[in-house]
Amino acid sequence: MTTVPHYRYFKPTRIDILPHENASYSTNRIAEDHEIRYGFGHCSRINRSHIEVVEIDLVWLGVVFHIVKTSETDEAGWAELAAARDDIDAMKRLSRDIVLAFFRDHPERQMSLLERIHQGSFNQGRLDMALGTVRQLDPSMDLTRLSTPQ
């Protein structure tokens, strides 16, 4: 079956991985496929405009991991993220590493994260079943190819 990006069909189960403080920023989308979409930009505040930002939505394990990292500190390996800017497969690998590190570094949140991942994978399975049913009813109809507003 074709993997369906959550963010095109329903409000995703989302897990945020954000900087220590909320950042005001803007980004330009660089690349997107059925698993990841990401963009690079800068902080919006004048006194922080030198700080670069990457915003990543990674569909993995049945949820969308919303990752925001900045160049302000190298805690998430900013150099590797910046180097992978034009390599979507490398961005996927690095994003998964960020998710695993977040899971490992926050043991107090592991149970709630696992519950959200379980619920998200359940929802993904229901979506895949519904789209499979539509394909069985009318093989010429492929809803995964439809573009919807975001």
Side-chain angles (χ1 to χ4, degrees), residues 24-37:
S24 174
Y25 62 89
S26 61
T27 60
N28 293 319
R29 178 104 21 101
I30 301 292
E32 175 178 6
D33 71 4
H34 68 281
E35 291 179 40
I36 192 170
R37 63 182 174 185

Side-chain angles (χ1 to χ4, degrees), residues 112-130:
S112 67
L113 291 172
L114 287 173
E115 289 170 355
R116 293 184 77 188
I117 289 168
H118 173 74
Q119 184 61 42
S121 62
F122 178 72
N123 289 340
Q124 179 66 40
R126 288 178 28 206
L127 177 61
D128 287 341
M129 285 175 40

Side-chain angles (χ1 to χ4, degrees), residues 68-84:
V68 176
K69 293 294 177 186
T70 67
S71 64
E72 192 167 24
T73 63
D74 195 41
E75 67 185 74
W78 176 260
E80 290 87 0
L81 287 168

